[in-house]
Amino acid sequence: MKRRDFLKKTGAAALCAAGASAVAAPNVWAKGKSYRWNMVTSWPPNLPVLQTGAERFARRVNEMSRERLQIKVFAGGELVPPMGVFDAVSGGTVEMGSSAAYYWAGKVPAAQWFTSVPFGLNAQGMNSWLGSGGLALWEEIYAPFNLVPRPMGNTGMQMGGWFRREMHSLDDFKGLKMRIPGLGGKVVAKAGGTVVLLPGAEIFTSLERGMIDATEWVGPMHDLRMGFYKAAPYYYYPGWHEPGSCLELLINKKAYQSLPKDLQMLVDCAAMENNIWTLNEFEAGNGAALAELVEKHQVKLRCFPDAVLQKLKVLAEESLEEEAAANPDSARVHAAFKKFKKEMGSWGIVSEKPYYEML
Ligand code: CA
């Protein structure tokens, strides 16, 4: 109906009523309905950056919403197991979760691309992709599971891992037992390694007892805390397998849709804020932690030989194509990721690479 016709047909009384409700609306909104939500995470209690980050997010939402939306956070195992987060949020047992999409590779293979891709994008690249169509695709992939995803943290460039022996050539991966999840694990398997999946709490003991020969985790700040330097002397870089791992906020879709628009936006903004803070914290802590590992704990810092990295890159490309061929959603996400990476092109090589080389 055109506005002119509307005015003619509804008359002055209707206009007064409309005006009155427009004035009254902000009061109704400010009081609003309040919501009590639970959030589960895949992280151990008090784990810096990841668990403390989820708690900061909840605190910020509680405060910014003036307690209209109150979120209570439970660490991994407190309410559901660390790897039970996806099912708990999807099934509506809880409203929210903090985790990493590549943990769900078994049920949603395409989810792996939203954490990190071997030789893929760094933190800036991941954030850029998600802001340029990647998040819309992620929402599509999660929709059948009654989930809304939001990026809520990035580890930045990870380290290549801890090894009990030196890695001189690709052949050294043959028979190597390594704890390495996600698409990176597929590449190590292709190189002849045996991939072992272990929860964080079991890695140190397995490495110390020689049940595994190598492990990756995150970067110096977290790795120092995990104590891996006591069990394996060689610390390799770069983290070719996880060049910028994105962490996820999972929201039950029905719960999200039940929120008024302003609270939905508040959740989105707090997640985005946490996305940046997480990266800041890792970047701020990694340099000092690396120095402590090398200077105080005499860790042998090593760069993978160029020839090894070049061969791993070839294997990574083969692995990604195979994964994409095995699942239509993975094929779609892989195609979008590759297209974006190509569009980003060599800007980083022109901008940041020479800058770092100059420092
Ligand atoms: Ca990792």
Side-chain angles (χ1 to χ4, degrees):
M1 192 185 288
K2 284 181 185 170
R3 181 170 161 78
R4 200 174 44 230
D5 295 336
F6 174 80
L7 289 175
K8 211 186 288 177
K9 284 179 185 168
T10 52
L15 279 177
C16 283
S21 70
V23 170
N27 288 332
V28 172
W29 217 9
K31 282 181 196 164
K33 187 181 163 187
S34 62
Y35 302 80
R36 302 270 184 283
W37 281 14
N38 289 327
M39 176 195 241
V40 290
T41 81
S42 295
W43 323 121
N46 305 317
L47 181 69
V49 192
L50 302 186
Q51 182 64 17
T52 58
E55 284 159 8
R56 175 182 50 221
F57 163 80
R59 208 164 47 241
R60 295 282 286 165
V61 171
N62 295 353
E63 288 171 8
M64 287 195 287
S65 70
R66 296 185 179 189
E67 302 191 339
R68 280 191 298 147
L69 175 54
Q70 290 185 49
I71 301 165
K72 192 169 181 200
V73 184
F74 297 86
E78 286 179 352
L79 207 57
V80 303
M83 295 300 130
V85 170
F86 186 96
D87 287 344
V89 184
S90 172
T93 309
V94 294
E95 290 83 3
M96 277 181 163
S98 163
S99 194
Y102 67 178
Y103 291 149
W104 326 126
K107 55 185 109 215
V108 197
Q112 298 176 97
W113 274 261
F114 300 108
T115 305
S116 198
V117 171
F119 298 95
L121 298 166
N122 63 7
Q124 284 154 288
M126 282 302 287
N127 282 331
S128 305
W129 177 50
L130 292 170
S132 311
L135 179 57
L137 198 51
W138 196 357
E139 286 172 340
E140 270 180 55
I141 299 295
Y142 274 16
F145 301 93
N146 192 34
L147 289 169
V148 175
R150 292 288 178 263
M152 197 171 74
N154 197 297
T155 64
M157 180 69 73
Q158 299 203 358
M159 284 292 283
W162 296 86
F163 294 76
R164 287 164 64 90
R165 56 177 191 256
E166 271 192 278
M167 303 296 285
H168 299 292
S169 72
L170 196 71
D171 281 347
D172 290 325
F173 278 95
K174 284 192 182 136
L176 184 88
K177 281 189 203 157
M178 183 170 185
R179 181 268 174 196
I180 174 169
L183 294 163
K186 306 249 163 39
V187 181
V188 168
K190 227 176 182 354
T194 302
V195 174
V196 182
L197 297 177
L198 290 171
E202 291 175 29
I203 304 174
F204 176 79
T205 312
S206 303
L207 190 62
E208 193 184 34
R209 292 181 185 169
M211 289 153 72
I212 53 172
D213 308 308
T215 187
E216 70 79 56
W217 181 242
V218 182
M221 188 186 174
H222 263 191
D223 291 10
L224 171 64
R225 183 186 163 95
M226 299 287 270
F228 296 137
Y229 62 89
K230 296 174 199 160
Y234 299 101
Y235 196 23
Y236 272 88
Y237 66 95
W240 57 271
H241 63 301
E242 292 190 55
S245 294
C246 177
L247 304 158
E248 67 180 0
L249 170 68
L250 292 167
I251 316 166
N252 178 278
K253 197 174 181 183
K254 275 189 197 143
Y256 184 77
Q257 286 171 342
S258 75
L259 293 178
K261 186 74 184 165
D262 66 320
L263 287 183
Q264 287 181 356
M265 288 172 73
L266 197 145
V267 165
D268 291 353
C269 289
M272 184 55 89
E273 179 196 47
N274 212 49
N275 194 42
I276 300 301
W277 273 118
T278 300
L279 179 62
N280 295 354
E281 285 182 294
F282 276 124
E283 292 291 306
N286 277 337
L290 184 62
E292 186 178 335
L293 284 166
V294 173
E295 290 160 21
K296 188 174 168 191
H297 301 297
Q298 280 80 50
V299 162
K300 291 169 179 141
L301 187 63
R302 297 281 187 275
C303 183
F304 286 115
D306 277 352
V308 170
L309 289 171
Q310 288 310 319
K311 284 173 185 162
L312 286 171
K313 195 173 167 203
V314 172
L315 295 180
E317 281 164 14
E318 288 173 16
S319 289
L320 290 168
E321 294 304 328
E322 285 166 15
E323 284 280 306
N327 177 282
D329 279 344
S330 298
R332 213 150 54 94
V333 177
H334 180 50
F337 188 97
K338 264 204 308 192
K339 182 169 176 281
F340 183 80
K341 190 164 174 270
K342 197 174 171 199
E343 282 165 7
M344 268 194 95
S346 51
W347 168 236
I349 292 165
V350 171
S351 60
E352 303 218 355
K353 190 167 180 273
Y355 178 74
Y356 275 119
E357 283 169 356
M358 180 181 85
L359 293 176

